[in-house]
Amino acid sequence: TQWNKVIANITTHYVKETPQRTKLLDVFMVFLVVVGALQFLYCVLAGNYPFNAFLSGFSATVGQFVLAASLRIQTNAANKSQFPDVSPERAFADFVGCSLILHFFCINFIN
Amino acid sequence: MAVKTAPSVGVEIHADEKSRRLFRVAILALIAGAAISSRLFSVILDPWFNFRATKYLVANGFYNFWDWFDDRTWHPLGRVTGGTLYPGLMVTSGVIYHALRALTVPVDIRNICVLLAPACSGLTAVATYLLTNEMTTSPSAGLLAAGFMGIAPGYISRSVAGSYDNEAIAIFLLVFTFYLWIKSLKLGSMLWGALCALSYGYMVASWGGYAFITCLLPLHSFVLILMGRYSNRLYVAYTTWYALGTIASMQIPFVGFLPVRTSEHMPALGIFGFIQLVGFIQYVRSAISGRQFQTFLMTLVAITFVLGIGALVGLTSLGYIAPWNGRFYSLWDTGYAKIHIPIIASVSEHQPTAWPAFFFDLNMLIWLFPAGVYLCFQKLEDQHVFVIVYALFGSYFAGVMVRLMLTLTPIVCVAAAVALSQVLDSFLTTATPDKETAIKESEAAAKKPNKNGGLSAFNKPVVGVYDRISKVVVAGAMTTYLILFVMHCTWVTSNAYSSPSVVLASRLPDGSQHIIDDYREAYQWLRQNTPQDAKIASWWDYGYQIGGMADRPTLVDNNTWNNTHIATVGKAMSSREEVSYPILRQHEVDYVLVVFGGLLGYSGDDINKFLWMVRIAEGIWPDEVKERNFFTARGEYRVDDGATDTMKNSLMYKMSYHNFQNLFPPNQARDRVRNSALPEKSPELDTLEEAFTSENWIIRIYKVKDLDNVGRDHASAAAFERGRKKKPVAKKGARALRID
């Protein structure tokens, strides 16, 4: 039906148009989603007793996911016009810096 | 940097650019200097708790401060201070203190606390400069905004020297966070987003008003999305800010899990989810054809929207997400606080703002403000949307609560500077065009209606604003207004906002100044003449001062975290002595302190606050304390002969007027605040005895009597004492009874 067509179109577009490096990034993002979902599932099943631990673990995955997404957006050649001042190297450096900040806070919060 | 990147047309431009930058730096420095010096009209330390906490931090180190359990406030309960305050202010001054020591400039921590607010106001002016420069290309707007922000009384009122309050540092962080947000939104840079998050985290550590940012940034983003201005830059800026800022804000013990648990923070979370969705849709849109995209979009958006709202409502009603807390809720339902939480309504800063206050605090800015917002509508880029959203929200909140004038002031300064710089740029710098080009342009303009906006006069040919006379007149008028603005600000600051609350100044008939220093006199008395752990009961307004200046444990203080405990004190103050005495004994109270302005006409005394004590007590014990009983049959609140018995027998009344009548010739005792004659006889106290009364009778301290030696209750013991002195006959009668 129509939905099948839509999904098929998206997949072909993705496989054809996406550069290798971005695909690598996507694998990382999928991994983060899986880890986050597992944590959430465990929280639902086993209760959220050390709530700060759950929060820091979960927000580490979420934060890392959005940072990776931002990196993906900024390194995508199609978006070049929107980010005139951000070179891919600069984007990567930003990514590293932001991830360090994120992990500092998460480790501090997990106690 | 700007010099380097500027096209090197010639040496002259180079030099010109350089001197301009020099001018800018000089002007900013002067503005910062003016901002600091205009806050030095009176120098006295006020918020005593922050000062006390800072002293503790400096003396005991950071880790002890973080785990500080304060057993000298809220007497039987104590206060887990490290977990119930915003530590940003104290840590900042602690850092400055240690930095200065490291530079071998040993400065007393008290001086740092006093001068922190003026120093931060200089930084605020610079932050406003940066923020305004993001809004407009005009070179003068930023400097104007910085000048306005430096001396606007709406901000000075909370940041005079010695007002060592959270707002002192928070407004700087507020403006700076907004600047970083705009910057990261414009550049779409993760690094600026991370800086914005860090600044936001610092703001969370400093002031409870951080919720304003938490709600304003999502709102701005939401409005941008609704306008169809979603961009990848917005995605990067918002998600970086939210992911880092939220985890940063949770590091503060006082905030803890609030960002995921309370309704104030839900807009930010909701927009975070929404923006992921929009980002994904944007990606898909580039992948497939228009028709397929539409079905895709409709289903996806409908499903997630319903799911999201459903989840929010469900979680809130199931109790996983706390509903709005009272302080925030009362901003929406303005009658709520007065009915349900009298302690919020009892603070004078939580009243609605009257019109004159806007003109008083902002003078000419308040009428330039709408013009500036209008100009933002005309340009309408992402950052201008921010100004508009902020202006709307800030005005609403400032209208609901006097105190929130403070959050409105920055945007008023920015918008007014945009408007004024537009006027000045048009009238000062526009060169007259040649006749021919002007005619051509006007013809072109007549053919094609102007879509860019701008005042229509600017599009007209040679006449009008290019004329020298009109330039001089308009620029002169604006300069006059600016000068008047400076004079107004100075006047307001020196007259209205520079009065210390601890030392009262009055003028004698001959014009010389008379200082009334009763507060410090009384606190000093407490400090020197009472045991180190004597508990002082007073109304909560004086809690921090007693803790800071008298250094004695108190029952309640200005941090009103336990309403029942405050109501207990209210009940003790508003009940008969027989009821109050057990309460005071149970809480191990040694001294009771009341503020009484009847002799001097000092209107902020406890009799005028008394009805709030009654109301707060009534909220907990509606059967024992009734507000109605304090009014006469005709509904008047009186202290003279016509006062009700409940009023006359209340502990507060007795403490305030005890022995007061003896100051006057018989029958001429007058209360100068209530402006009424007092009853002939002064009230008798059985369970308390007067310990200290300050020079002008402003502070009266009573000692709680111990239990009677012989086991009588105090009323009969006191009656016995009085009786024996007056009528020895009664004593004989009693002896006669004992014979058989």
Side-chain angles (χ1 to χ4, degrees):
Chain A
T1 58
Q2 198 153 26
W3 264 99
N4 288 338
K5 242 192 315 185
V6 169
I7 290 169
N9 272 350
I10 294 177
T11 354
T12 45
H13 173 85
Y14 178 80
V15 173
K16 242 197 272 172
E17 301 287 320
T18 317
Q20 190 63 40
R21 210 180 286 173
T22 312
K23 277 182 184 159
L24 200 63
L25 206 51
D26 287 337
V27 173
F28 179 50
M29 284 165 72
V30 169
F31 165 73
L32 285 172
V33 170
V34 171
V35 172
L38 280 178
Q39 286 186 49
F40 193 78
L41 194 70
Y42 182 77
C43 173
V44 169
L45 290 178
N48 63 1
Y49 163 58
F51 193 44
N52 57 334
F54 166 68
L55 273 185
S56 50
F58 190 66
S59 49
T61 51
V62 172
Q64 197 63 70
F65 177 83
V66 294
L67 289 178
S70 300
L71 179 65
R72 188 189 193 284
I73 288 174
Q74 292 190 341
T75 49
N76 192 345
N79 293 331
K80 193 70 206 129
S81 61
Q82 292 182 28
F83 298 96
D85 292 342
V86 184
S87 64
E89 292 78 13
R90 165 72 194 270
F92 186 70
D94 282 2
F95 174 74
V96 171
C98 292
S99 304
L100 283 178
I101 297 174
L102 178 74
H103 282 92
F104 168 74
F105 281 135
C106 286
I107 289 169
N108 190 33
F109 196 59
I110 206 168
N111 270 333
Chain B
M1 280 275 260
V3 179
K4 272 183 203 161
T5 51
S8 52
V9 181
V11 188
E12 274 170 311
I13 291 180
H14 234 75
D16 193 39
E17 187 68 22
K18 246 184 189 166
S19 62
R20 270 185 201 205
R21 293 185 49 195
L22 188 66
F23 266 123
R24 264 163 197 266
V25 172
I27 291 173
L28 267 181
L30 282 177
I31 287 173
I36 291 171
S37 55
S38 69
R39 282 163 170 81
L40 302 178
F41 279 108
S42 78
V43 177
I44 189 156
L45 191 59
D46 210 15
W48 281 92
F49 170 72
N50 295 334
F51 177 51
R52 202 168 137 242
T54 312
K55 274 202 295 194
Y56 188 90
L57 167 69
V58 169
N60 296 305
F62 182 71
Y63 286 106
N64 284 322
F65 172 71
W66 207 249
D67 300 328
W68 181 24
F69 180 79
D70 186 2
D71 57 355
R72 290 177 77 76
T73 53
W74 295 91
H75 163 57
L77 310 169
R79 174 181 172 193
V80 191
T81 311
T84 55
L85 54 51
Y86 292 101
L89 183 71
M90 296 98 196
V91 173
T92 308
S93 23
V95 166
I96 296 174
Y97 174 78
H98 287 300
L100 284 178
R101 302 215 101 186
L103 295 171
T104 63
V105 189
V107 181
D108 189 9
I109 185 68
R110 192 188 61 185
N111 299 336
I112 292 173
C113 293
V114 166
L115 292 177
L116 187 72
C120 280
S121 70
L123 292 177
T124 313
V126 177
T128 318
Y129 168 78
L130 295 171
L131 178 64
T132 316
N133 274 351
E134 295 301 317
M135 300 299 166
T136 165
T137 51
S138 164
S140 61
L143 291 172
L144 278 172
F148 290 155
M149 194 67 199
I151 57 173
Y155 174 41
I156 285 194
S157 63
R158 289 324 210 88
S159 64
V160 288
S163 127
Y164 182 55
D165 222 335
N166 289 333
E167 288 93 328
I169 181 170
I171 295 300
F172 161 62
L173 290 170
L174 185 82
V175 179
F176 196 58
T177 309
F178 286 148
Y179 161 67
L180 292 172
W181 162 248
I182 294 295
K183 195 83 186 167
S184 73
L185 181 61
K186 273 174 132 181
L187 295 177
S189 150
M190 273 187 270
L191 189 68
W192 284 97
L195 289 179
C196 177
L198 289 181
S199 168
Y200 170 74
Y202 193 8
M203 169 79 185
V204 175
S206 307
W207 194 35
Y210 74 90
F212 186 63
I213 303 183
T214 324
C215 293
L216 197 64
L217 298 193
L219 189 72
H220 179 212
S221 315
F222 188 56
V223 171
L224 285 179
I225 293 172
L226 288 188
M227 290 169 74
R229 304 184 67 107
Y230 172 83
S231 63
N232 286 324
R233 289 192 305 273
L234 178 65
Y235 180 91
V236 174
Y238 187 82
T239 53
T240 317
W241 167 73
Y242 184 77
L244 294 182
T246 307
I247 187 88
S249 70
M250 288 195 287
Q251 314 290 319
I252 310 300
F254 195 22
V255 177
F257 300 141
L258 292 186
V260 290
R261 283 256 168 95
T262 54
S263 294
E264 292 95 81
H265 300 82
M266 283 306 121
L269 181 61
I271 297 299
F272 181 70
F274 188 58
I275 224 167
Q276 306 293 339
L277 183 69
V278 176
F280 182 59
I281 290 173
Q282 286 283 336
Y283 173 73
V284 171
R285 178 195 233 162
S286 63
I288 51 179
S289 70
R291 181 141 196 110
Q292 288 174 336
F293 180 66
Q294 272 194 346
T295 35
F296 175 81
L297 186 71
M298 289 302 161
T299 354
L300 198 66
V301 167
I303 289 174
T304 36
F305 197 73
V306 169
L307 276 183
I309 297 285
L312 185 63
V313 171
L315 285 176
T316 311
S317 57
L318 285 177
Y320 286 108
I321 297 175
W324 293 84
N325 83 30
R327 263 162 224 265
F328 284 106
Y329 189 72
S330 61
L331 289 175
W332 303 111
D333 183 354
T334 45
Y336 179 81
K338 189 146 193 162
I339 301 169
H340 298 284
I341 338 170
I343 200 150
I344 293 181
S346 76
V347 180
S348 64
E349 287 175 336
H350 294 177
Q351 306 301 325
T353 320
W355 272 113
F358 283 100
F359 289 95
F360 189 71
D361 276 355
L362 300 166
N363 195 16
M364 69 179 282
L365 304 184
I366 197 64
W367 51 260
L368 282 171
F369 172 48
V373 175
Y374 172 74
L375 286 174
C376 285
F377 263 111
Q378 290 200 321
K379 293 176 197 156
L380 214 60
E381 285 166 38
D382 291 354
Q383 63 269 31
H384 301 123
V385 177
F386 177 76
V387 173
I388 293 163
V389 171
Y390 185 178
L392 281 176
F393 262 68
S395 323
Y396 172 75
F397 289 134
V400 173
M401 208 184 258
V402 176
R403 188 180 175 184
L404 294 178
M405 183 76 93
L406 191 64
T407 51
L408 177 68
T409 308
I411 198 62
V412 170
C413 291
V414 171
V418 168
L420 189 61
S421 72
Q422 168 93 346
V423 171
L424 290 181
D425 285 355
S426 316
F427 282 91
L428 282 181
T429 58
T430 316
T432 315
D434 312 333
K435 276 247 160 91
E436 289 135 43
T437 49
I439 289 166
K440 267 185 208 160
E441 270 183 12
S442 70
E443 279 169 356
K447 277 178 203 157
K448 191 175 71 177
N450 189 357
K451 277 183 189 166
N452 295 334
L455 299 180
S456 56
F458 300 151
N459 307 321
K460 289 277 151 59
V462 194
V463 286
V465 297
Y466 306 118
D467 197 34
R468 181 156 296 157
I469 296 175
S470 65
K471 277 185 184 178
V472 168
V473 167
V474 173
M478 280 303 156
T479 316
T480 318
Y481 276 124
L482 284 173
I483 293 170
L484 284 177
F485 174 72
V486 174
M487 288 162 65
H488 173 84
C489 290
T490 320
W491 178 80
V492 167
T493 311
S494 65
N495 282 298
Y497 291 140
S498 297
S499 47
S501 60
V502 173
V503 180
L504 311 168
S506 68
R507 295 214 173 269
L508 297 176
D510 61 352
S512 64
Q513 201 174 37
H514 181 58
I515 299 290
I516 296 157
D517 205 359
D518 281 34
Y519 278 98
R520 290 199 298 175
E521 183 192 346
Y523 294 145
Q524 197 64 24
W525 183 87
L526 274 179
R527 187 188 263 271
Q528 290 176 349
N529 297 297
T530 59
Q532 182 73 26
D533 57 348
K535 281 89 187 169
I536 318 287
S538 73
W539 190 233
W540 61 264
D541 297 21
Y542 317 108
Y544 280 167
Q545 290 182 354
I546 294 173
M549 286 198 260
D551 190 24
R552 292 290 174 269
T554 51
L555 253 66
V556 291
D557 64 30
N558 309 39
N559 168 272
T560 54
W561 63 273
N562 188 330
N563 196 18
T564 316
H565 209 48
I566 291 177
T568 308
V569 174
K571 185 184 173 191
M573 296 290 192
S574 55
S575 305
R576 301 170 60 86
E577 273 188 82
E578 300 89 82
V579 183
S580 312
Y581 184 69
I583 298 178
L584 296 176
R585 292 288 304 182
Q586 278 163 5
H587 292 86
E588 300 175 324
V589 174
D590 298 301
Y591 291 91
V592 185
L593 178 147
V594 289
V595 175
F596 173 64
L599 182 65
L600 214 64
Y602 169 57
S603 59
D605 68 353
D606 275 349
I607 295 282
N608 278 359
K609 289 174 189 161
F610 189 39
L611 283 179
W612 286 110
M613 304 185 202
V614 173
R615 275 171 211 154
I616 289 167
E618 191 180 5
I620 309 280
W621 295 280
D623 298 332
E624 298 175 57
V625 184
K626 292 196 181 68
E627 191 184 351
R628 185 67 196 82
N629 293 341
F630 290 84
F631 292 107
T632 60
R634 293 168 58 197
E636 294 162 318
Y637 179 61
R638 295 172 67 163
V639 294
D640 53 6
D641 272 323
T644 61
D645 280 344
T646 320
M647 180 73 190
K648 280 185 179 169
N649 287 322
S650 68
L651 191 67
M652 175 55 72
Y653 182 88
K654 284 183 171 181
M655 285 197 295
S656 294
Y657 292 109
H658 183 64
N659 279 340
F660 185 57
Q661 277 80 345
N662 302 347
L663 281 181
F664 298 87
N667 275 333
Q668 288 184 23
R670 284 196 73 80
D671 181 327
R672 284 182 55 191
V673 177
R674 265 66 56 178
N675 211 359
S676 54
L678 292 172
E680 195 181 331
K681 253 173 67 64
S682 74
E684 299 283 357
L685 278 166
D686 300 332
T687 56
L688 306 175
E689 57 192 353
E690 188 173 344
F692 177 79
T693 295
S694 63
E695 186 187 355
N696 298 297
W697 288 60
I698 286 187
I699 300 224
R700 314 199 64 188
I701 300 171
Y702 292 87
K703 185 168 176 28
V704 180
K705 280 186 190 168
D706 208 342
L707 290 176
D708 191 58
N709 276 337
V710 217
R712 300 166 295 182
D713 63 295
H714 282 95
S716 55
F720 179 73
E721 298 251 321
R722 280 194 287 271
R724 190 168 60 179
K725 270 176 199 157
K726 272 180 199 163
K727 323 173 220 169
V729 194
K731 206 168 92 181
K732 271 177 197 165
R735 193 181 282 166
L737 269 178
R738 216 183 269 170
I739 291 172
D740 51 22

